[in-house]
Amino acid sequence: MTCPTVIIVPGWRDSGPGHWQSLWAERLPGASRVVQDDWITPRRAAWVERLEHTVLAAPGPVVIAAHSLGCIATVHMGPAAAARVAGALLVAPADPERRAVLSDFAPVPYAALPYRSIVVASSNDPYCPIRLAGAYARAWGSEFVRMQNAGHINIDSGHGEWPLGWALLQSLYGGAAPALEIPAPRLASSAA
């Protein structure tokens, strides 16, 4: 069985150094990261086209690891690209109706996805209420993982390495997961 290619799909303003997406892109053999021409004023057509091109250029099936607006771009993909997706980890999906700069991505599709997916959301995400993230998951037919007080599940909320996310991504491979060593979280040392 061929191991699917991991495609990293960052959200609005990209995922900087230390973000779990950036770390995975550096460490996963053969991973591909979608790079948009405009991270600041995103346009749905351009973002989805770039994502679809990346998916269709992969040598076989893909597993998507999307964050924020990247999740919304993922669910906007057309049927040809969606047919190549073996699974998708959709983390902290954005609500494009909450910010004018993201409004071109509205309305968000509310149809079942043709592949296995996991939506991960936080109870206090400033970019998407947990109820809306849950509604996305139900509409998309996704498994739903609710994290308590995890912010936007990014570097600012302390999710650099993010071992839980890695475990969820591995679950989408169906037994063909690549090996990746995630360092254990560093514990604060106490001064004696």
Side-chain angles (χ1 to χ4, degrees):
M1 177 177 183
T2 304
C3 190
T5 300
V6 173
I7 296 183
I8 308 289
V9 187
W12 181 41
R13 295 192 249 174
D14 200 2
S15 298
H19 189 287
W20 56 269
Q21 284 190 310
S22 299
L23 297 174
W24 294 1
E26 293 167 4
R27 296 176 183 158
L28 269 167
S32 181
R33 183 182 180 122
V34 178
V35 178
Q36 299 293 349
D37 289 331
D38 188 348
W39 291 109
I40 306 305
T41 53
R43 294 290 167 248
R44 180 173 70 191
W47 273 45
V48 172
E49 180 181 351
R50 180 65 54 90
L51 172 56
E52 288 178 339
H53 175 78
T54 304
V55 168
L56 293 171
V62 303
V63 171
I64 289 178
H67 184 252
S68 193
L69 192 62
C71 300
I72 307 307
T74 298
V75 301
H76 273 295
M77 281 193 310
R84 299 285 305 279
V85 178
L89 180 62
L90 306 169
V91 181
D95 175 2
E97 295 181 14
R98 291 176 77 86
R99 291 187 176 266
V101 70
L102 308 182
S103 64
D104 192 43
F105 287 77
V108 173
Y110 272 81
L113 299 173
Y115 45 81
R116 182 169 172 233
S117 59
I118 302 170
V119 171
V120 182
S122 169
S123 63
N124 67 339
D125 188 335
Y127 300 105
C128 183
I130 191 73
R131 287 183 182 176
L132 180 58
Y136 288 160
R138 284 187 300 279
W140 300 337
S142 306
E143 297 165 53
F144 186 55
V145 176
R146 177 191 169 128
M147 295 180 66
Q148 193 64 27
N149 298 321
H152 195 47
I153 314 174
N154 60 6
I155 193 72
D156 293 338
S157 60
H159 296 87
E161 298 291 345
W162 197 37
L164 171 62
W166 175 246
L168 292 170
L169 182 71
Q170 285 184 314
S171 77
L172 292 168
Y173 276 88
L180 178 66
E181 196 63 37
I182 299 288
R186 288 182 223 145
L187 302 175
S189 59
S190 57

